[in-house]
Amino acid sequence: MLLLLFIAAFATDLGAWYRQGQEQQRAADVSALNGVQAYDRGVKAHFATLPHVGVPPEPVQSWAQLTPDQWEFAERAGLAEAANTIIALMETSGLSFTDIGTGVLASNPTDPTSTSIWTIVATDGTEIIITRSFVQTGLDTSTPPQPTYSRSIDVQVNATGEQYFSNILRDAPSIDRSASSVLSNCGAICEQTVEIDPPFAGFDADGKGDGYSPLLYGDQSIWAVNHHVNDGWEGDILCMDRTVTPPQNCGEFALSDYNTASYPVELLSNNVGKIYAPATNRATDKAGLLCFNVAKSEFCDDEFIGFDGNAWQSNNKSGSPAAGVWEYKRGNSLEAWVLSHKGEIACVTMSASDDGGMDPCGSPTGIYNTAIVGHTRIHTGTGNRTVWGELIADELFLISRGQQGDPLFHCFNLNSRQPCPGFGVIQPADSAYYRSGEAMGFIRHSAGGGRDGFCLASPRSTKKSYCVNFGGTKLPDMPNSFDNNVLAPIGVSWVGKAYTWNSERTFFSGGNSDLLTCWDWSKNLPCAETIDLDVLRPGNKEVRAQGPRPSCSAGQALPAGTSLRGGSDCSQEIEPYNLAAVTPNCLVGLGDQSYFFSFNPRTMEACVDTTLSADIEPCDCADSTEKRWGLVRLPVDLLGDVNKLDATVVDPATGAIYIGALPSGPLDLLGNGGELDLSHVPDTVPLLKLNLDIDAKLDSNGDPLWTGTKYADIQIEVQPTLAN
């Protein structure tokens, strides 16, 4: 029984020693982590007291700026700060101290082989030994590479083990635990300021020409190529700078030598920084492609290529029979394709060089025949107002104008440069009902967002739509609710383009009005929301509650007391042409006489969506020999001004996604207090791209909460790390 009693007594104390060792280890870990930051604070505080050095004078920031006589004082200041911090931590666990102890200082704190020791003893005899030493953290870029070092704080906690019963067998053991912490970024917080542009708002552009499609050049500018040049309108290519609020004119470039198509589809290729527009050279009467260098704000060296043949002649030197343009990638090269009113399709090269490419591709002439060339119903006139096309993979699906404005559905494969096999030419049997004199083509979608086929919509006719699938088989017409609620309100005197957003909604623009109508594919119904574009115009917020205005013809007087765009007749209405996506949830549209407007495609209200793409860098370590990533914090005031703040973080050099990878998607910063943990990013990554998707809150007038550029200070904090 006595032996069992001895064993039980020893086991009890053994368990107590184990728990005491755990507590001392936690204390050593916390002390090392906090001590290394305190050491750096103390050193920097001492640096600030020293005379300025250098020419011009600058504050002391590193050990290299100190003289040997100053080393010991800076070292003592750092260790004393660490000792005070560690004492405060230890006192929370029940220890007490009468002083901060004494230090044994090394002669050279910049020598990687030197150490400094500071010892503190608690009133119960617990000994805390603080050692400043160096830890090798890597190799530099010299040849051969040399070791790089970081200062570390090592904390050792030595105490006599608590003893209850085992003293009958042995004396209490000494329990020693230690931890070493390396300073990453010296405990400092790096701060970087980023600019967040306000949500995109409508504005009147300079130039006052008659543009058609808003052409977006990255996040920098919006361009438009005016049509109606031959009708005495101001003919120019217009640029508006998006980087300022409101956008400012960044250039008007005369089109006096060319006629542009009346209903064009221009191409601004961000891949090569060029606009390719269908046009006719007035001197030669040849139709073809015009090239403009948006990156340099000047026409390309080879500014125009005209194509030979009757299909490309205007004859009356008015307008242009060319339409398009579609961009196609063939291997490593890019091509621009343009269609004539008689069914010939032509191809030129695209290039980022000053000449823009502009060489015929494939055949010597670059011209090919689509399926409608020679068709009995081919259009014989000179205008080509109705062509529509959508490029899906290699196949370009087209609707062209027949002799009486009737539609011809066909398909052309850009890879094989031949008509699509098996598709042929589709001419509606009752084509008189589908007059495409002024009509829109659009992709047809399923409820799930998939593409089922394409359609013609003609508000002039009795029957409003005609649809086929991508194999050429007739599909059912759109429902009557499409005819009544989407086509009818926009009028019949003029029709713009159809634009599909997110495979969810297709917007139909046009008519001499301020109206946009919408079809919701997810419900196969007209959109529940309506939009009167005039309420989005600055200064016209008072008409928000009045609802959509009826359409009317240009010159028709409006009811007394009403006005649109400051005028008294319908000629002052916006008359929307075409749309583009400025951000994922903000569409920009271009209206008559160069008015740009914007709206949220889901709510049909003013845009609240904006984006930020900013470069962020890691923080410098104390000796500036390396950089580290840590915790990124966005300011609280930014979080209070938004309804959504989603983030992705990407390495622009490799494409590696560090935050926001699927399937989880972007990180919801509103849900986690605006913090992104980048401590897992390798120190070798020199730069990251922070992308924010933002929805701003609205003020009492229904406008975005901020209308000017917002500046946000983001912080990167790098915590010290335990070396072992």
Side-chain angles (χ1 to χ4, degrees):
M1 291 295 294
L2 185 61
L3 178 60
L4 291 175
L5 182 61
F6 286 160
I7 294 173
F10 185 75
T12 299
D13 280 358
L14 187 63
W17 298 333
Y18 177 75
R19 287 191 299 275
Q20 183 180 345
Q22 285 184 313
E23 293 171 358
Q24 289 180 210
Q25 185 63 60
R26 282 194 292 269
D29 290 345
V30 173
S31 297
L33 285 168
N34 287 273
V36 73
Q37 296 179 84
Y39 169 82
D40 185 64
R41 287 197 304 270
V43 168
K44 288 184 174 178
H46 182 73
F47 285 175
T49 67
L50 298 174
H52 282 43
V53 299
V55 179
E58 60 181 15
V60 174
Q61 295 179 328
S62 69
W63 291 94
Q65 295 173 292
L66 301 186
T67 66
D69 292 340
Q70 295 170 323
W71 286 339
E72 180 176 339
F73 294 99
E75 181 84 334
R76 183 178 293 277
L79 284 171
E81 184 72 16
N84 277 313
T85 299
I86 292 172
I87 285 175
L89 289 169
M90 293 294 182
E91 285 177 338
T92 62
S93 63
L95 294 178
S96 61
F97 301 85
T98 58
D99 58 54
I100 67 171
T102 60
V104 179
L105 304 179
S107 60
N108 186 352
T110 65
D111 180 359
T113 64
S114 72
T115 59
S116 299
I117 300 174
W118 195 284
T119 303
I120 314 168
V121 180
T123 55
D124 70 350
T126 299
E127 183 181 55
I128 297 101
I129 302 174
I130 306 170
T131 303
R132 193 277 305 139
S133 60
F134 284 87
V135 173
Q136 182 178 337
T137 54
L139 297 173
D140 63 19
T141 58
S142 61
T143 305
Q146 299 299 312
T148 57
Y149 298 92
S150 292
R151 290 178 180 80
S152 69
I153 290 294
D154 312 321
V155 177
Q156 185 169 332
V157 181
N158 302 330
T160 302
E162 299 173 352
Q163 197 168 32
Y164 301 98
F165 306 108
S166 61
N167 58 340
I168 61 176
L169 298 176
R170 56 158 295 170
D171 293 334
S174 176
I175 301 176
D176 306 329
R177 295 292 185 269
S178 64
S180 179
S181 182
V182 176
L183 189 67
S184 300
N185 192 46
C186 320
I189 296 177
C190 297
E191 190 171 274
Q192 301 177 33
T193 301
V194 297
E195 297 181 4
I196 305 177
D197 292 328
F200 186 87
F203 63 95
D204 279 302
D206 292 328
K208 300 303 179 188
D210 202 4
Y212 198 76
S213 296
L215 306 173
L216 307 180
Y217 182 49
D219 295 329
Q220 305 166 35
S221 52
I222 303 178
W223 295 75
V225 178
N226 288 336
H227 60 284
H228 289 320
V229 173
N230 56 292
D231 293 334
W233 290 58
E234 295 184 45
D236 53 42
I237 295 175
L238 174 68
C239 172
M240 298 300 292
D241 183 356
R242 289 179 56 196
T243 63
V244 295
T245 303
Q248 300 294 316
N249 182 289
C250 48
E252 298 171 48
F253 308 92
L255 284 171
S256 55
D257 295 333
Y258 302 97
N259 293 330
T260 53
S262 297
Y263 279 54
V265 181
E266 303 94 359
L267 166 68
L268 194 163
S269 172
N270 280 269
N271 289 316
V272 298
K274 307 288 189 305
I275 290 174
Y276 296 88
T280 293
N281 185 309
R282 291 180 177 178
T284 65
D285 202 30
K286 287 184 178 180
L289 278 177
L290 184 70
C291 180
F292 186 87
N293 189 331
V294 295
K296 291 189 173 182
S297 294
E298 61 186 24
F299 286 93
C300 301
D301 290 347
D302 296 336
E303 66 180 52
F304 181 79
I305 180 173
F307 300 107
D308 293 325
N310 183 54
W312 303 94
Q313 291 295 125
S314 289
N315 298 323
N316 62 358
K317 297 187 178 181
S318 173
S320 178
V325 181
W326 300 275
E327 181 175 358
Y328 179 68
K329 184 175 183 181
R330 186 184 303 276
N332 294 323
S333 62
L334 291 171
E335 301 171 347
W337 289 79
V338 58
L339 187 69
S340 80
H341 68 295
K342 292 187 177 180
E344 290 184 355
I345 192 167
C347 170
V348 301
T349 60
M350 298 167 58
S351 171
S353 63
D354 289 347
D355 63 9
M358 299 292 282
D359 293 320
C361 51
S363 71
T365 63
I367 298 174
Y368 301 88
N369 290 338
T370 68
I372 65 168
V373 171
H375 191 272
T376 56
R377 298 294 299 174
I378 191 67
H379 178 58
T380 57
T382 59
N384 193 13
R385 299 164 64 90
T386 61
V387 71
W388 171 91
E390 182 87 8
L391 180 60
I392 301 177
D394 296 332
E395 294 182 320
L396 180 59
F397 296 94
L398 298 160
I399 303 174
S400 294
R401 187 181 184 187
Q403 286 182 2
Q404 304 300 321
D406 48 313
L408 301 174
F409 291 71
H410 55 119
C411 174
F412 188 80
N413 189 298
L414 299 188
N415 182 45
S416 66
R417 298 173 172 142
Q418 296 287 332
C420 299
F423 195 99
V425 178
I426 299 170
Q427 179 185 355
D430 47 359
S431 59
Y433 293 116
Y434 302 104
R435 299 293 291 273
S436 62
E438 292 180 349
M440 294 171 287
F442 60 95
I443 293 293
R444 182 170 175 149
H445 293 263
S446 65
R451 293 178 290 196
D452 292 343
F454 59 108
C455 305
L456 175 82
S458 178
R460 285 183 179 271
S461 63
T462 302
K463 293 188 176 181
K464 305 295 186 181
S465 62
Y466 189 90
C467 305
V468 300
N469 66 18
F470 297 121
T473 301
K474 178 73 175 69
L475 293 175
D477 296 337
M478 294 292 291
N480 288 334
S481 57
F482 173 83
D483 304 341
N484 298 331
N485 298 90
V486 174
L487 294 182
I490 61 177
V492 300
S493 61
W494 184 86
V495 176
K497 290 292 183 181
Y499 177 87
T500 299
W501 171 75
N502 203 33
S503 298
E504 182 179 333
R505 292 183 164 195
T506 296
F507 293 90
F508 297 85
S509 56
N512 291 297
S513 71
D514 287 319
L515 297 182
L516 274 176
T517 56
C518 169
W519 186 261
D520 190 328
W521 297 105
S522 65
K523 300 175 182 177
N524 205 33
L525 290 171
C527 298
E529 305 83 1
T530 59
I531 184 170
D532 181 348
L533 296 175
D534 197 58
V535 306
L536 300 178
R537 181 181 300 279
N540 281 10
K541 301 299 183 294
E542 69 278 1
V543 302
R544 285 187 185 279
Q546 296 180 13
R549 300 178 186 275
S551 61
C552 53
S553 301
Q556 176 183 337
L558 294 173
T562 51
S563 65
L564 299 176
R565 296 182 64 181
S568 60
D569 61 62
C570 288
S571 64
Q572 298 300 312
E573 294 191 343
I574 290 176
E575 300 179 14
Y577 292 152
N578 207 356
L579 306 173
V582 179
T583 65
N585 292 299
C586 182
L587 300 185
V588 57
L590 179 57
D592 188 60
Q593 299 188 51
S594 298
Y595 178 71
F596 290 88
F597 57 91
S598 65
F599 65 97
N600 183 300
R602 192 181 300 280
T603 65
M604 308 289 205
E605 295 178 341
C607 283
V608 296
D609 180 71
T610 186
T611 58
L612 163 72
S613 184
D615 292 337
I616 55 175
E617 298 178 348
C619 287
D620 289 312
C621 291
D623 55 7
S624 299
T625 59
E626 58 182 325
K627 295 175 179 286
R628 299 282 176 86
W629 293 100
L631 188 67
V632 177
R633 292 190 180 95
L634 273 74
V636 174
D637 62 336
L638 174 61
L639 303 183
D641 288 347
V642 301
N643 290 315
K644 181 181 76 171
L645 189 62
D646 291 345
T648 58
V649 179
V650 181
D651 182 348
T654 65
I657 300 175
Y658 288 103
I659 286 179
L662 295 174
S664 58
L667 176 66
D668 176 12
L669 289 179
L670 283 184
N672 72 346
E675 293 187 349
L676 303 95
D677 187 0
L678 298 178
S679 58
H680 62 290
V681 177
D683 299 340
T684 54
V685 176
L687 186 74
L688 289 175
K689 181 76 73 175
L690 170 63
N691 299 312
L692 297 179
D693 186 7
I694 304 168
D695 275 2
K697 289 182 178 178
L698 298 178
D699 63 17
S700 58
N701 292 322
D703 294 318
L705 201 58
W706 76 86
T707 56
T709 300
K710 192 176 185 67
Y711 296 91
D713 293 328
I714 62 173
Q715 297 176 338
I716 301 180
E717 180 180 355
V718 184
Q719 296 288 346
T721 57
L722 288 173
N724 53 49

